[in-house]
Amino acid sequence: MGILRIGHASLRVMDMAAAVQHYEKVVGMKKTMEDKHGNVYLKCWDEWDKYSLILTPSDQAGMNHVAYKVEKDSDLDELQRKIEAYGIATEMLPEGTLPSTGRMLKFNLPSGHEMRLYAFKEYVGTDVGTTNPDPWPDDIHGAGAHWLDHCLLMCELNPETGVNKVAENTKFATEVLDFFLTEQVVVGPGGAIQAATWLARTTTPHDIAFVGGPRNGLHHISFFLDSWHDILKAADVMAKNKVKIDVAPTRHGITRGETIYFFDPSGNRNETFAGLGYLAQRDRPVTTWTEDKLWSGIFYHTGEAVPSFTDVYT
């Protein structure tokens, strides 16, 4: 019962043609449809639902909402009751509000980020099918991302005024949405301030993450690749296409993931993420990173700060 996995992210882009080219040619997604409002829908080759990314025309970058898929439609009613009992307003959007998608439960996290939950999205199948499938399709292109893996949301953190939206989001996500905590960063005297958290519903190190900053926003959406070799190939693809790379290929201490960060043409940060990291389970001890080792947690190889990584987001 409840949330299965991330379903899609809806991003605002300022140049639709450039954005579509980026997500197709660089990330390796495929356009599956475009609606009458000019919104474009894309999926990765190893995804079976109709889309995992929505691009909407806008005059500024950023995230409209992130959506997670639940196991069955009745879960939406139960989760609506739990969320409203927690004190957060909800709205049940009717089937068809988004194309090829059933009804959606809409609400805002304590940080203000919009989240939606849904049970149904049109099944179109992976590019290799389900009967005697090949390990990859013949027409794989760009980085060849398998699927949308997770998102990281920036949440207002101001200890001087007592504002900590990281802790508030984490409490809500674990107590109401039934995520479980896998890793955290604690800062301040005695590590009393929870400054960043990574949470899971699947067996990967995180399906969503919350990190403290001066304002709420989107830090990145992440796409899964198989291996370190694929991360390096993705960097080559980005270089060939003159993509702005934020952080060159490296490893995280947190989650142990192999990574590269880069920007779409509108300035929304993307990540390609590889490696299992570890098997996330509810009884696995939470990994805690302290303030003095923060940057080793973020970039394990150098342990050095990259100011753009924390200061720049949409």
Side-chain angles (χ1 to χ4, degrees), residues 39 152 191 199 202:
N39 303 313
L152 190 154
L199 302 102
T202 63

Side-chain angles (χ1 to χ4, degrees), residues 145-310:
H146 284 252
W147 54 73
L148 177 68
D149 190 78
H150 65 265
C151 69
L152 190 154
L153 305 179
M154 296 297 293
C155 305
E156 185 181 357
L157 176 63
N158 189 340
E160 293 182 0
T161 60
V163 174
N164 187 344
K165 295 301 180 182
V166 171
E168 289 184 37
N169 276 6
T170 302
K171 184 174 187 291
F172 171 75
T174 54
E175 294 184 3
V176 180
L177 302 182
D178 204 28
F179 282 81
F180 61 96
L181 183 66
T182 58
E183 304 204 33
Q184 64 181 344
V185 173
V186 296
V187 302
I193 299 169
Q194 192 177 47
T197 57
W198 288 258
L199 302 102
R201 276 290 301 177
T202 63
T203 56
T204 63
H206 59 319
D207 297 298
I208 197 167
F210 307 122
V211 173
R215 59 177 176 84
N216 298 325
L218 171 68
H219 189 272
H220 69 266
I221 60 170
S222 182
F223 297 91
F224 182 82
L225 297 176
D226 271 330
S227 67
W228 176 247
H229 171 78
D230 293 321
I231 292 289
L232 296 180
K233 177 188 173 185
D236 291 340
V237 170
M238 293 170 206
K240 285 182 68 175
N241 287 277
K242 305 298 186 290
V243 171
K244 183 179 180 182
I245 293 176
D246 184 30
V247 179
T250 187
R251 177 191 286 280
H252 291 308
I254 298 166
T255 76
R256 303 177 189 162
E258 297 147 359
T259 179
I260 178 169
Y261 288 94
F262 54 105
F263 294 98
D264 75 10
S266 296
N268 295 305
R269 185 186 278 103
N270 299 164
E271 178 191 30
T272 49
F273 180 91
L276 173 63
Y278 50 78
L279 189 63
Q281 298 285 302
R282 290 184 179 274
D283 64 339
R284 181 183 182 274
V286 175
T287 299
T288 297
W289 295 82
T290 55
E291 191 168 4
D292 60 316
K293 297 295 183 181
L294 170 61
W295 283 102
S296 293
I298 298 174
F299 300 125
Y300 185 71
H301 291 163
T302 65
E304 295 179 357
V306 178
S308 65
F309 188 73
T310 51

Side-chain angles (χ1 to χ4, degrees), residues 8 48 56 60 64 79 83 92 110 118 126 207 209 212 225 245 292:
H8 67 256
W48 47 90
T56 70
Q60 62 179 5
N64 296 310
L79 285 163
I83 293 167
M92 192 68 76
Y118 68 93
T126 71
D207 297 298
L225 297 176
I245 293 176
D292 60 316

Side-chain angles (χ1 to χ4, degrees), residues 39-106:
N39 303 313
V40 174
Y41 301 74
L42 305 101
K43 70 179 286 288
C44 297
W45 69 265
D46 216 6
E47 294 173 326
W48 47 90
D49 288 343
K50 190 161 187 178
Y51 58 86
S52 62
L53 181 64
I54 309 171
L55 303 178
T56 70
S58 179
D59 59 359
Q60 62 179 5
M63 186 183 79
N64 296 310
H65 70 266
V66 62
Y68 286 77
K69 190 174 186 179
V70 303
E71 185 176 353
K72 54 186 182 294
D73 189 74
S74 60
D75 292 341
L76 298 176
D77 300 311
E78 182 172 344
L79 285 163
Q80 184 175 35
R81 289 192 291 269
K82 290 177 66 176
I83 293 167
E84 291 189 346
Y86 193 82
I88 291 177
T90 70
E91 179 182 2
M92 192 68 76
L93 303 176
E95 180 178 356
T97 301
L98 285 179
S100 304
T101 303
R103 63 180 184 141
M104 293 180 291
L105 180 60
K106 173 185 172 182

